[in-house]
Amino acid sequence: MIAAAAARAPGTWGELVQGTVGGVDALITCPVNLHAIAVARLGSADRWQGPAGRPRTLRALAGIPGGGQVRIRSPLRPGAGMASSTADLCAAMAAASALIGLPKTPEELFDRCRRLEPTDGLMFPGIALVDHVHGSRVELLGPPPPLGIIGVDAGGVVETGGFNGRADLKEANRRKEPAVREALTTAITAVAAGDAAALATAATLSARVHQAILPNPLWERAAALAPACGALGVNIAHSGTVVGFLFDLNRTDMVEEAHWLGPRLGLPVRLLKLISGGITIHKRG
């Protein structure tokens, strides 16, 4: 008998591209090597209990038969654009469903998350392009190019639901559609070719035009420092606070660049890398 099941879901460092094309929402994931981990154990209750302060997680678990306890550990800061909520939801649902022998597919996880809130596509393998609001589009673009990220967090909180509910968002997205269309096309081709430089170019374009919608206080400094440290470009959280300096992992000493960038930004930096999305499950007898 399985005593427990654990599931690991990657967080993100913002997005590579986000906006609309023809009024349809589009987001290209930026999964990184930071993970939320959920552990599920069966119990005598007829419902699942989860961590305090995570009401959406409890709502997600309510759709899974049986009952028990789910605990979550996560390094992902809420409200920063690290997909903390999506990672929590996916890890919790994946662990509970695996424990009762009814594992959920990435498509099922995406659909359930999206019904609760706008969601990242981190549950899909590789790099994914999704309609994060209505779910009308899901494309698996391929494995991640060798992209390193030096991440910095501007601080503060952006609530995803509130951002996506802004009355002016539709029109603001419409105005930047030509640039987003270009960024999406470039990014799709870059992932298929394993081209880290082209992917960084697409991410930088998406980040730059998004400043008219949600300015990041670090953007101007980041955009100015990126060429000086040899970064290929810069990405952001489009509904969050984090910024990433993007490098070719095969040509860069990430530690050296982090030592150079940290003092100039006046903030702590994190060494990260772009990874494949997807949920990993472990069962314990």
Side-chain angles (χ1 to χ4, degrees), residues 158-175:
V158 177
E159 201 279 311
T160 304
F163 172 79
N164 282 280
R166 279 174 44 172
D168 66 333
L169 187 59
K170 184 176 181 179
E171 175 58 23
N173 272 324
R174 186 194 66 76
R175 288 195 295 269

Side-chain angles (χ1 to χ4, degrees), residues 146-158:
L147 201 66
I149 303 172
I150 296 178
V152 60
D153 186 352
V157 171
V158 177

Side-chain angles (χ1 to χ4, degrees), residues 45-74:
D46 60 356
R47 62 186 179 87
W48 292 95
Q49 297 178 335
R54 289 181 167 94
R56 290 191 184 95
T57 303
L58 291 177
R59 289 170 61 191
L61 290 169
I64 298 174
Q69 180 71 43
V70 176
R71 299 187 183 278
I72 298 174
R73 300 197 315 271
S74 176

Side-chain angles (χ1 to χ4, degrees), residues 3 18 26-27 41 59 64 77 91 107-108 125 138 143 147 149 160 186 194 199 202 216 240 261 263 281:
Q18 183 175 321
L27 179 157
R41 291 182 171 85
R59 289 170 61 191
I64 298 174
R77 187 174 78 80
E107 291 77 12
E108 289 172 325
V138 174
L147 201 66
I149 303 172
T160 304
T186 301
L199 186 57
N216 188 298
L261 269 171
I281 296 173

Side-chain angles (χ1 to χ4, degrees), residues 175-198:
R175 288 195 295 269
K176 69 168 187 168
E177 277 203 3
V180 170
R181 190 186 301 273
E182 178 184 345
L184 284 171
T185 300
T186 301
I188 291 168
T189 303
V191 174
D195 189 337

Side-chain angles (χ1 to χ4, degrees), residues 116-134:
L116 293 170
E117 61 182 0
T119 188
D120 192 275
L122 59 82
M123 67 290 294
F124 294 105
I127 304 301
L129 165 59
V130 301
D131 171 356
H132 56 291
V133 179
H134 300 102

